[in-house]
Amino acid sequence: MARCPNCGQNTKRTEDWACQWCGYPLLSGGYKKLDQSYREVKGESVVRAEPEEVEEETPEPPRSPVKAIRAPEPKRKPEPEPEPETEPEPPEEAQPEPLPAPRPVARVAEPLTTPEPPPPPPPPPVIEPLAPPRPNPIMSADVCPMVLDVTTEELSLAFESDRALANSKLANRVLKVTGIIDRIFLKEHLDIQYFILTTPTKAEAFNVRCTFDKKMAYQLRKLNPGERVVVQGKYGGAEKNIILKDCSLVSS
C-alpha cells in the first residue's frame, strides 16, 4: 500500500482525493480508492474512540402494590451528520511573468543622397552582313570543266533542287567526289565491288555509289566505314543513289 507524503502512513485515497489519516490531498491515481470521504472516515474514528456508556445498576425497590415508576432512559447523543463531500481544488498554476516592454530604438536620420542619373542605353548591336551563299559548281552555267571537283553534300543539294538540270549538267563528265564511306560491298565471284559515300550528318537524300573494277578489290579491302576518301569516276546517272562508274581511289 502506498504511503502518504505528509503523515507517512499507509493510506488509501478517499472519494474526495484526500489521505484517510491526515486529509492531505492525494491527486495521483496510484493510490487505492476508499469508498468514503475523509469526513466520514474521521467521524467513524471519533465514535470508536469514545467509551461506551454503561448503565448503572440500581437496586430494585421492594415490590409494593403501587406500581414502580420507571426511570427515564438516558437520551443518546445524536451522531454527527457527515458534511457534503467537496473535491479538493487543484493547485493554482503559476502564471508566467509578463515580459518587459521593448525599449524604443532611436532612429538615426538618414543622410540625404542625390539620385544617380540612369546609365546611358547600350549601343545598338552591329549586324554583320551575311556572307553570300557559295555557288554550287554543278548548277553554275559558266563553270563546267571536264573533271568536276565536288563533295557529296554539293551533289545531293544539286539533285534535290533540280534533278533534271543536274543530270543534264553532269552527263558524260568525270567527277572527283570527296565523301565518307558508309558501307562496302565485296563479292568477287559475282563481280561486285563498290561502296557508298555519304555526308558526315548522313541526312542528305542522295548518296554516291562508287563502282570499281575487279582489279581494285585488294584496295577496297584496306578501307573501313567512316574513312574520308576522294574518288574519281564517270557519272552514270542517278536513281536511288548517284552512280559513278570505273572509279579509282585518288586519296584515302
Side-chain angles (χ1 to χ4, degrees):
M1 185 183 297
R3 294 181 179 272
C4 175
N6 183 36
C7 62
Q9 296 189 14
N10 295 335
T11 183
K12 295 182 180 180
R13 176 174 53 83
T14 60
E15 290 183 347
D16 52 356
W17 297 75
C19 174
Q20 64 177 347
W21 304 107
C22 63
Y24 186 81
L26 303 177
L27 302 181
S28 173
Y31 295 87
K32 293 185 178 180
K33 185 178 180 182
L34 186 66
D35 296 330
Q36 287 180 333
S37 65
Y38 171 71
R39 293 186 178 274
E40 290 176 356
V41 175
K42 201 69 176 175
E44 288 180 2
S45 62
V46 171
V47 172
R48 290 175 184 173
E50 292 180 357
E52 297 181 356
E53 295 180 359
V54 181
E55 297 181 0
E56 296 180 359
E57 295 182 0
T58 57
E60 294 183 0
R63 293 184 179 182
S64 62
V66 182
K67 293 182 179 180
I69 300 174
R70 294 181 178 179
E73 296 180 357
K75 296 181 180 181
R76 296 181 178 178
K77 296 181 179 181
E79 296 181 358
E81 297 181 358
E83 296 183 1
E85 300 177 359
T86 57
E87 296 183 358
E89 298 181 356
E92 297 182 357
E93 297 181 357
Q95 297 182 356
E97 297 181 359
L99 298 175
R103 297 180 179 179
V105 180
R107 295 184 178 180
V108 181
E110 297 181 357
L112 298 177
T113 56
T114 57
E116 297 181 359
V126 179
I127 300 175
E128 298 180 358
L130 297 176
R134 179 184 174 184
N136 196 318
I138 301 173
M139 306 302 290
S140 177
D142 299 335
V143 180
C144 191
M146 291 300 298
V147 179
L148 186 60
D149 193 356
V150 292
T151 62
T152 52
E153 293 92 337
E154 293 171 345
L155 284 173
S156 180
L157 291 175
F159 278 87
E160 285 181 3
S161 60
D162 193 342
R163 184 170 181 175
L165 179 59
N167 188 35
S168 62
K169 290 280 187 180
L170 299 178
N172 300 322
R173 296 192 179 276
V174 177
L175 304 180
K176 185 187 293 185
V177 183
T178 303
I180 296 175
I181 298 176
D182 185 24
R183 290 167 293 171
I184 301 174
F185 298 89
L186 286 176
K187 295 181 181 179
E188 298 182 21
H189 62 285
L190 298 177
D191 197 13
I192 297 175
Q193 296 83 216
Y194 70 91
F195 56 69
I196 303 297
L197 288 182
T198 185
T199 60
T201 59
K202 298 184 181 181
E204 279 68 17
F206 290 90
N207 294 328
V208 181
R209 176 176 173 176
C210 304
T211 59
F212 294 83
D213 188 68
K214 192 174 183 179
K215 299 177 182 179
M216 301 292 296
Y218 73 96
Q219 293 185 356
L220 300 183
R221 292 192 188 95
K222 299 179 182 180
L223 302 177
N224 296 312
E227 292 186 16
R228 188 177 185 87
V229 294
V230 180
V231 182
Q232 182 172 319
K234 187 177 181 180
Y235 174 70
E239 297 176 357
K240 185 179 180 180
N241 296 320
I242 302 170
I243 299 173
L244 290 182
K245 298 179 179 180
D246 301 331
C247 296
S248 61
L249 286 174
V250 178
S251 64
S252 60

